[in-house]
Amino acid sequence: MSPTAEEIVRAAAHWIDRGIRMDTRTFAHEMGISRSTLFRRAGNREELLGDALWYLADHTMVAAVRNWERVAGAAVRDASGELRCLAVMREYRSAIAGNRGFRRFLDDEPTVAIRVLTDPHGRVQPKVMAAHVELLRRDVEDGGFVPAVSLESLCYAIVRLGEAFLYSDVLASRAPDLDAASTLLAALVEGRVQTTPL
């Protein structure tokens, strides 16, 4: 049977996860379809990459939420006082940064990767924004915090700052500093910074 668009995206996500470069001719052959059929069902290469990257991001976020629920249940803060959304976002960023296939994609195709990942009208960033809005909305509704700005504005800042740190090696030739990202994002969300001695 010919694969559905969803099956194509899932297979592409597995290619990225395994560090395999997305060559559409080889990929279409492996899927048992022509390149024209691949294009009709999943779009061009960058659109397919975008959907596959979102698939990976979504599964990573869902896993981080499940890990929180396994440890802390429905609590809005853990025993140390960390807000649920911040803990989930920290785990999400850490998992993405540690994914070897994703890092290889960034290293091998930095221009394409940044274009696909950060396009405000693309297939990744708008969905990542929406997922962050929903994550924070849960904490607002459950009484965890009251944001100083709209959730949409807050999540725009969170996602853009997260991107700056996650992709800092590509964007600014700096090693990603996820601890600094977590500190700054906590300050954005809760309006306070926990200082540490220099």
Side-chain angles (χ1 to χ4, degrees), residues 58-186:
D58 183 45
H59 280 71
T60 302
M61 180 70 82
V62 167
V65 169
R66 284 187 184 143
N67 285 342
W68 172 274
E69 290 170 348
R70 188 173 36 58
V71 173
V76 177
R77 292 186 185 270
D78 65 13
S80 71
E82 185 175 26
L83 196 58
R84 172 174 53 195
C85 63
L86 291 171
V88 169
M89 288 187 293
R90 179 173 37 77
E91 183 174 336
Y92 167 80
R93 284 189 310 276
S94 178
I96 288 176
N99 182 294
R100 291 181 185 175
F102 176 74
R103 294 310 308 181
R104 182 166 183 183
F105 173 55
L106 272 178
D107 291 342
D108 291 351
E109 299 187 68
T111 303
V112 171
I114 294 303
R115 185 167 58 242
V116 169
L117 290 163
T118 64
D119 180 353
H121 305 292
R123 298 194 175 196
V124 181
Q125 192 188 82
K127 293 175 183 175
V128 170
M129 294 271 192
H132 279 72
V133 168
E134 187 54 36
L135 186 65
L136 271 72
R137 188 185 317 281
R138 285 184 60 210
D139 286 2
V140 169
E141 290 172 355
D142 292 346
F145 78 105
V146 178
V149 296
S150 72
L151 287 180
E152 288 74 16
S153 294
L154 180 57
C155 289
Y156 174 79
I158 287 169
V159 169
R160 295 297 285 162
L161 185 61
E163 289 171 347
F165 278 90
L166 266 177
Y167 317 140
S168 61
D169 51 340
V170 175
L171 294 170
S173 298
R174 296 179 52 167
D177 186 346
L178 299 184
D179 290 336
S182 292
T183 299
L184 291 170
L185 290 172

Side-chain angles (χ1 to χ4, degrees), residues 4-59:
T4 64
E6 184 177 319
E7 289 168 336
I8 290 169
V9 168
R10 188 166 56 242
H14 290 305
W15 271 40
I16 294 170
D17 193 48
R18 292 178 0 230
I20 302 171
R21 187 178 189 283
M22 178 54 62
D23 173 75
T24 55
R25 185 182 309 278
T26 305
F27 180 74
H29 178 74
E30 185 171 291
M31 296 300 296
I33 56 177
S34 68
R35 288 178 75 192
S36 60
T37 300
L38 175 64
F39 180 80
R40 281 196 308 274
R41 292 194 186 156
N44 64 33
R45 181 176 186 266
E46 290 193 9
E47 290 168 334
L48 176 57
L49 285 169
D51 285 339
L53 288 164
W54 164 244
Y55 177 92
L56 292 172
D58 183 45
H59 280 71

